[in-house]
Amino acid sequence: MDDKHDGPVTREGIRLHSAADFAGMHVAGRVAATILDEIADHIVPGQSTGELDRLITDMVAAAGATSATIGYRGYQHASCISVNHVVCHGIPSEKTLKPGDILNIDVTVIVDGWFGDSSRMYVAGELSRKAERLIQVTHDALMLGIEAVRPGNTFGDIGHAIQSFVENQRMSVVRDFCGHGLGRVFHAPPNVLHYGRPGQGPVLEEGMFFTIEPMVNLGRPETKILADDWTAVTRDKSLSAQFEHSIGVTASGFEIFTLSPAGRFHPTWR
Ligand code: MF3
Ligand code: CO
Ligand code: CO
């Protein structure tokens, strides 16, 4: 077991955190959310994703935080920026945004040892009707998943809430990536699947911290990884969207650690 920790762990290896731990996660989550608020005004056609990442790197430092992604398994950037048919783990580059491009920006920071992990959707210029619908469905799917979070429910209840809603909209849920436990570590048990059946999976208990971060495709759910070993794209080249919050289970439900202080989690473009 990790010697940075004490306190109870379930038989599935899921840590149960204290009230003081919730306070640490709220601080870290707020730093991540504030960075995602402040980057919004920089997203315009002609901007490069590399420049967006440099701005994010500076914001992380200005907040007195540490990037969780720089140096993580060899990753070298403070954000993942996933444009159009990129599902997740897009690497910032000097390639520039075109009018109508949609993008997910995913930022994870460490503050006082606690990890804050969140992502949202943005648009460069004007949003197409089909992209707007995809983004709206993905956001609503995340929030429906979060609303299933309370002690006694299961992780399968969360996945089912997301999958059934998305598939009713004739879109698909990506299976190849999932949410994760976090806290004083970036990725911990359990794997938080964005599909599933009611009543299946571990039972939720007060004090669990994890992300929910559904990826939704307009076409088929299959993905592939590009030769850079990071970038995940839709196999059928259809558009993909994602939203991510870090949350904690309370006695009566949940708290979201990564709420936007500016009220700009969604939409980011107004
Ligand atoms: N922030 C991502 C997540 O939601 C992980 C990114 S790892 C990186 O779990 F190395 F690609 F940055
Ligand atoms: Co995450
Ligand atoms: Co993330």
Side-chain angles (χ1 to χ4, degrees), residues 36-37 39-40 43 101-103 105 120-124 268-269:
L36 293 177
D37 284 346
I39 202 65
I43 295 169
D101 280 350
I102 61 166
L103 54 152
I105 302 185
R120 322 175 177 166
M121 295 302 296
Y122 302 83
V123 60
T268 54
W269 50 86

Side-chain angles (χ1 to χ4, degrees), residues 106 108 117-118 178-180 182 186-187 211 213 242 244 246:
D106 190 337
T108 312
D117 185 5
S118 186
C178 54
H180 48 93
L182 83 173
F186 196 170
H187 293 110
T211 72
E213 48 182 299
Q242 179 179 27
E244 176 177 26
S246 297

